Amino acid sequence: DQQVKQNSPSLSVQEGRISILNCDYTNSMFDYFLWYKKYPAEGPTFLISISSIKDKNEDGRFTVFLNKSAKHLSLHIVPSQPGDSAVYFCAASGINAGNMLTFGGGTRLMVKP
Amino acid sequence: DAGVIQSPRHEVTEMGQEVTLRCKPISGHNSLFWYRQTMMRGLELLIYFNNNVPIDDSGMPEDRFSAKMPNASFSTLKIQPSEPRDSAVYFCASSPRKLESPLHFGNGTRLTVT
């Protein structure tokens, strides 16, 4: 049973436009959420996070939104750049779980020049 | 900071052979995690350690898998005997003890069992 789901395996966006990546979770004990970016042949790298006490966190071109009632979060990239092309993983951590993360299946983002 | 270092980067072995994957976490990080990435299951946690002690190994698929952390700067993941379905990319990650600290991943070991 997947506790973190990314229902879109891939997304294609034109350079300069907004990219929106979505993630749903089922475990109400999750209270900390992260997005990781992964290039081929490399490990995932941390991108941005949000605590459950917030509904929005922004870092440059990246913004994460959290809707706790819907158990949904999204990552917005504005404007999208070709270098953003990668696989994006949503991850969640719960109370008393330390820093142990449960990951979604990933969404491959392709930004076309 | 050299980051998390994993070796080897690639491993090709025959079914039935023993495989040992190695990881050196970032100095000062107290937690270490082993993840496996496959097409079917994505990134799944196998085991994690706090201060060299295994805390949760519920993700270890079978008794063929074992992990050790003899000291704060080294961990191994061993598969004995290996099977073709073990083929995957295995990632090691570390993090500071402080809660809500992101994990730092190594570049992974791509294992192919023929």
Side-chain angles (χ1 to χ4, degrees), chain A residues 32 36 41 43-44 99-101, chain B residues 9 35 45 96 98 100 103 106-107:
Chain A
Y32 183 58
Y36 279 78
N99 291 333
M100 187 176 72
L101 296 180
Chain B
R9 286 300 308 272
Y35 281 85
L45 177 68
K98 179 173 175 281
E100 299 190 354
L103 272 59
N107 284 329

Side-chain angles (χ1 to χ4, degrees), chain B:
Chain B
D1 183 357
V4 176
I5 299 173
Q6 291 187 247
S7 64
R9 286 300 308 272
H10 303 274
E11 177 78 43
V12 180
T13 190
E14 292 184 348
M15 182 173 66
Q17 297 297 307
E18 177 180 298
V19 174
T20 299
L21 312 181
R22 297 172 174 79
C23 175
K24 177 178 167 52
I26 293 173
S27 177
H29 283 190
N30 303 87
S31 300
L32 183 138
F33 306 78
W34 282 101
Y35 281 85
R36 176 171 71 175
Q37 184 185 18
T38 60
M39 289 293 292
M40 293 298 295
R41 302 173 70 89
L43 268 169
E44 53 178 341
L45 177 68
L46 300 177
I47 185 171
Y48 91 94
F49 296 83
N50 268 348
N51 294 322
N52 313 339
V53 176
I55 302 301
D56 187 335
D57 66 354
S58 59
M60 295 286 262
E62 300 171 32
D63 291 345
R64 297 184 296 107
F65 286 69
S66 62
K68 294 182 179 179
M69 192 164 186
N71 57 63
S73 59
F74 184 66
S75 176
T76 60
L77 177 67
K78 185 176 293 187
I79 308 172
Q80 165 65 17
S82 58
E83 296 182 2
R85 60 192 167 123
D86 301 331
S87 297
V89 181
Y90 291 80
F91 289 102
C92 175
S94 68
S95 77
R97 176 79 169 157
K98 179 173 175 281
L99 286 177
E100 299 190 354
S101 296
L103 272 59
H104 299 258
F105 283 82
N107 284 329
T109 295
R110 179 174 292 278
L111 172 65
T112 303
V113 183
T114 60

